[in-house]
Amino acid sequence: MELAAKKDPQDGKAIHVLSSGLQAAATRSRELAAKGDPQDGKAIHVLSSGLKAAATWSRVDILQQCRECCGGQGFLAANKIGPMKTDMDVDVTFEGDNTVMMQQVSKSLLDTAMKRPKKPQAVSIAPGQVAAPGALTELLQFREDSLTAQLGGAMARAMKGAGPSGRAMTAANEAFEADLDLVVALGWAHIESHAYKTLLAEAQAATPSLKPALHLLASLYGLTRLERSIAHYLAAGVLQGGHAAAVRLQINKLCSQLSADAGKLALLMCEGFGVPDHLLQAPIAFNWQQIGTTWKHV
């Protein structure tokens, strides 16, 4: 983590925030399952499908960024990053192909939208306010709602064009498959919006000593999700070039806070996972200069 922060805030940002947002959402999913309420069954299925895809795709991406940020040490097999990445590549297919998982998320959203259509609410935010929690909540929800409306509209038009031939549902499914890129994007939009809201709620409910750090993580998560899909907002006319520049600057500012003082805050957050010392077997976690000489754990 410290090496990532020293290289470039943008390079290391996913390492700091992706797991936090998805972890908060996964915790919420487990809480729903623990309640045992049959009415929550659909929500649990949608969340677990989307979180499986988002978590495994993100894990592969994060490990790649970790490897690059650590230079040659990251490529060295003894430091575990490369072998972990190799082992975890299969997870994007194992226990449900990720694209299929995201299709299940989108199909549930579209089924609801076809029964109760609604237009996305207009969003108007000044560039200087784009990082505010309320603004991020609205923007992430707008992306989900606008993609739902776009795909739902295409399916409705396909059904109408099929006429009385009994091919309405077939036509709708063909429209769904024809826009598979948007289908996956909608799955991402739903999970990212849910994850941000959940992480923000955790930050707001935290003890005073934890609030600043958790709010920083929530902001970073929301902003990086916004930056990742900035083309959607620009195309929709919701954001302009000034907003995009403000998002980038704010991300860099928050990453600088994480990496300040030799990455002290980032390292404290890593320690918060409570990984036992006996599981830390990579030389880079200790004195990497001893590799090949006195290192005994590998």
Side-chain angles (χ1 to χ4, degrees):
M1 181 74 75
E2 182 178 351
L3 290 176
K6 284 182 177 179
K7 182 183 178 186
D8 189 323
Q10 286 281 38
D11 288 343
K13 66 190 177 188
I15 301 170
H16 299 301
V17 299
L18 274 175
S19 59
S20 301
L22 295 176
Q23 179 64 36
T27 299
R28 172 58 178 159
S29 180
R30 288 195 294 270
E31 290 172 351
L32 283 175
K35 285 172 57 180
D37 190 338
Q39 294 183 347
D40 291 331
K42 184 175 182 179
I44 293 171
H45 173 72
V46 170
L47 278 178
S48 59
S49 296
L51 284 170
K52 185 272 176 184
T56 52
W57 266 330
S58 297
R59 184 166 56 188
V60 171
D61 181 50
I62 289 170
L63 283 169
Q64 179 64 23
Q65 291 199 41
C66 282
R67 198 212 64 71
E68 293 182 22
C69 287
C70 294
Q73 289 291 332
F75 193 72
L76 191 67
N79 284 325
K80 309 294 185 181
I81 299 174
M84 285 176 65
K85 187 174 184 296
T86 299
D87 288 345
M88 293 175 181
D89 265 338
V90 70
D91 289 348
V92 303
T93 303
F94 186 64
E95 295 292 351
D97 177 82
N98 281 2
T99 298
V100 176
M101 294 291 99
M102 286 303 193
Q103 283 180 285
Q104 293 185 19
V105 175
S106 296
K107 188 177 186 303
S108 176
L109 297 173
L110 290 167
D111 285 345
T112 301
M114 296 291 280
K115 296 173 185 175
R116 298 188 297 274
K118 66 175 184 178
K119 291 184 178 181
Q121 292 187 348
V123 179
S124 179
I125 296 168
Q129 296 298 315
V130 72
L136 287 173
T137 299
E138 287 185 40
L139 287 166
L140 292 173
Q141 187 63 52
F142 171 84
R143 181 170 175 245
E144 177 183 337
D145 292 345
S146 59
L147 285 170
T148 301
Q150 184 177 351
L151 285 165
M155 293 171 69
R157 289 190 296 273
M159 292 175 69
K160 184 177 180 180
S165 61
R167 292 192 67 258
M169 289 308 301
T170 299
N173 288 332
E174 289 174 351
F176 182 88
E177 293 290 341
D179 285 325
L180 189 56
D181 57 334
L182 294 182
V183 170
V184 174
L186 173 56
W188 269 113
H190 177 70
I191 292 301
E192 289 173 348
S193 177
H194 175 80
Y196 174 71
K197 291 174 185 175
T198 305
L199 182 54
L200 183 61
E202 291 291 331
Q204 291 171 339
T207 59
S209 62
L210 293 177
K211 277 182 184 290
L214 291 180
H215 272 292
L216 187 153
L217 283 181
S219 295
L220 261 177
Y221 182 80
L223 286 165
T224 54
R225 301 311 86 202
L226 194 61
E227 184 187 46
R228 171 178 166 170
S229 53
I230 198 70
H232 177 84
Y233 297 99
L234 294 173
V238 173
L239 299 180
Q240 307 298 326
H243 294 91
V247 168
R248 184 185 67 81
L249 290 173
Q250 188 65 21
I251 288 173
N252 286 345
K253 177 182 177 181
L254 295 177
C255 283
S256 294
Q257 293 178 27
L258 273 177
S259 60
D261 194 16
K264 182 178 179 180
L265 179 56
L267 290 170
L268 284 172
M269 289 180 179
C270 289
E271 291 174 0
F273 286 103
V275 179
D277 285 346
H278 70 273
L279 294 180
L280 298 177
Q281 298 182 354
I284 199 173
F286 300 95
N287 187 354
W288 61 268
Q289 293 177 323
Q290 294 181 3
I291 295 175
T293 56
T294 60
W295 186 253
K296 304 296 185 183
H297 297 281
V298 179

